[in-house]
Amino acid sequence: MATSTRATSKPSTQTRPAIITSGLDVRRGGTIALSGIDLTVPAGTALAVIGPNGSGKSTLLETMTGILKPHSGIIGLDGKRPALVPQTTHVDRSLPITVRETVAMARYATLGFIRPFRRSDRVAIDDAIARLEIEELADRPFHELSGGQRQRALVAQGIAQDSEILLLDEPLNGLDVASQEAILTVLDQLVLEGKTVVVTTHDLDDARRYDQVLLLKTKALAVGPPSEVLTATHLREAFGRRFTQVGDELVIDDPHHHHH
């Protein structure tokens, strides 16, 4: 993955919370997906959520957006509904939609499908496209883009929603270095502007960039600064035999992802 780092700011107890959960339990059918999650994310900070496959990372994001309802416990969010950026998926080649139209879909949540775009909508769309440096792709069909280009367009769509909270589900997974760098730069800018960013990841280097890390395995095994959460003890508890330590290097042997 890209190796850029950002100067993280230590979450302040003086900052208003953007996200609060208390005793949060979420179920998928009869299966417990999340159990007893207590979490506070101050506004204007970034949180990485890391854990093995099936640990509840995507479930947590879907609960924050209201796609899933808690079985018990509470979740409180600052401002309007968070914007969710999903992982890049296969795109139906018969779908006649351009990159600009893809990004513009973010405005329908508040505008509706019938009303014409206002000037503020057009500005939000153009700004999001410019941030991800995809202006030259704006009129191209979405399905023609590479994986990295598609992910940039989806991040732009999330930004165009203009929510105070941006949730991203493994946004860097499998991308080229240029696309990773472009996305990381934009996320850093958003936090500096006071937005709150939550990113799920399998990558330890990626997780170390953020103000806080939540280590999940259905339950919250640890939450706090990266230096306190991403320790050999915690990672061994989360990943079991897939975690090893070679000298000072922490390695997770994941069949789908590579970590250091």
Side-chain angles (χ1 to χ4, degrees), residues 87-157:
Q87 295 185 52
T88 300
T89 57
H90 174 74
V91 180
D92 187 347
R93 298 188 65 84
S94 66
L95 185 65
I97 186 171
T98 66
V99 170
R100 181 177 297 278
E101 290 168 339
T102 299
V103 177
M105 290 173 65
R107 307 301 294 178
Y108 296 150
T110 54
L111 188 66
F113 286 93
I114 299 177
R115 293 172 57 190
F117 284 142
R118 301 156 296 191
R119 182 179 182 279
S120 60
D121 297 311
R122 293 191 293 271
V123 168
I125 294 164
D126 290 342
D127 176 67
I129 289 173
R131 281 178 180 263
L132 272 300
E133 301 177 352
I134 53 174
E135 297 98 325
E136 74 281 3
L137 304 175
D139 296 323
R140 285 183 56 184
F142 184 70
H143 71 261
E144 290 185 358
L145 303 184
S146 68
Q149 291 169 336
R150 285 201 303 269
Q151 191 64 32
R152 289 199 206 191
L154 291 177
V155 173
Q157 183 188 75

Side-chain angles (χ1 to χ4, degrees), residues 1-256:
M1 64 155 289
T3 58
S4 77
T5 60
R6 74 179 179 91
T8 58
S9 57
K10 185 177 180 180
S12 170
T13 56
Q14 303 300 316
T15 304
R16 76 183 190 281
I19 303 169
I20 296 178
T21 71
S22 178
L24 183 66
D25 290 315
V26 181
R27 297 186 181 183
R28 289 181 178 272
T31 303
I32 297 174
L34 291 172
S35 177
I37 305 298
D38 296 324
L39 177 67
T40 300
V41 184
T45 66
L47 170 74
V49 184
I50 191 168
N53 290 332
S55 60
K57 300 186 298 296
S58 297
T59 297
L60 180 60
L61 298 192
E62 291 173 4
T63 306
M64 289 179 177
T65 61
I67 296 172
L68 295 175
K69 301 299 182 184
H71 176 74
S72 60
I74 62 172
I75 180 167
L77 302 168
D78 182 36
K80 60 184 180 181
R81 180 174 177 172
L84 174 64
V85 179
Q87 295 185 52
T88 300
T89 57
H90 174 74
V91 180
D92 187 347
R93 298 188 65 84
S94 66
L95 185 65
I97 186 171
T98 66
V99 170
R100 181 177 297 278
E101 290 168 339
T102 299
V103 177
M105 290 173 65
R107 307 301 294 178
Y108 296 150
T110 54
L111 188 66
F113 286 93
I114 299 177
R115 293 172 57 190
F117 284 142
R118 301 156 296 191
R119 182 179 182 279
S120 60
D121 297 311
R122 293 191 293 271
V123 168
I125 294 164
D126 290 342
D127 176 67
I129 289 173
R131 281 178 180 263
L132 272 300
E133 301 177 352
I134 53 174
E135 297 98 325
E136 74 281 3
L137 304 175
D139 296 323
R140 285 183 56 184
F142 184 70
H143 71 261
E144 290 185 358
L145 303 184
S146 68
Q149 291 169 336
R150 285 201 303 269
Q151 191 64 32
R152 289 199 206 191
L154 291 177
V155 173
Q157 183 188 75
I159 292 172
Q161 190 171 322
D162 196 26
S163 174
E164 291 302 308
I165 302 172
L166 182 64
L167 313 174
L168 304 100
D169 196 2
E170 298 198 37
L172 306 182
N173 187 28
L175 302 191
D176 59 277
V177 172
S179 293
Q180 290 184 24
E181 290 284 5
I183 291 171
L184 290 173
T185 298
V186 169
L187 297 185
D188 292 349
Q189 292 170 347
L190 291 173
V191 173
L192 289 175
E193 293 167 11
K195 304 288 188 181
T196 304
V197 172
V198 179
V199 175
T200 66
T201 182
H202 280 78
D203 193 293
L204 296 181
D205 288 334
D206 185 24
R208 291 189 182 100
R209 301 181 74 256
Y210 300 98
D211 299 300
Q212 290 193 93
V213 176
L214 168 63
L215 182 60
L216 266 185
K217 192 175 182 182
T218 305
K219 297 182 179 181
L221 300 183
V223 60
S227 61
E228 296 178 8
V229 173
L230 301 177
T231 65
T233 299
H234 289 147
L235 293 172
R236 188 171 290 109
E237 183 180 5
F239 292 94
R241 294 182 178 180
R242 284 179 287 173
F243 168 78
T244 57
Q245 183 170 4
V246 182
D248 294 331
E249 186 175 20
L250 307 179
V251 180
I252 297 172
D253 181 15
D254 188 306
H256 304 291

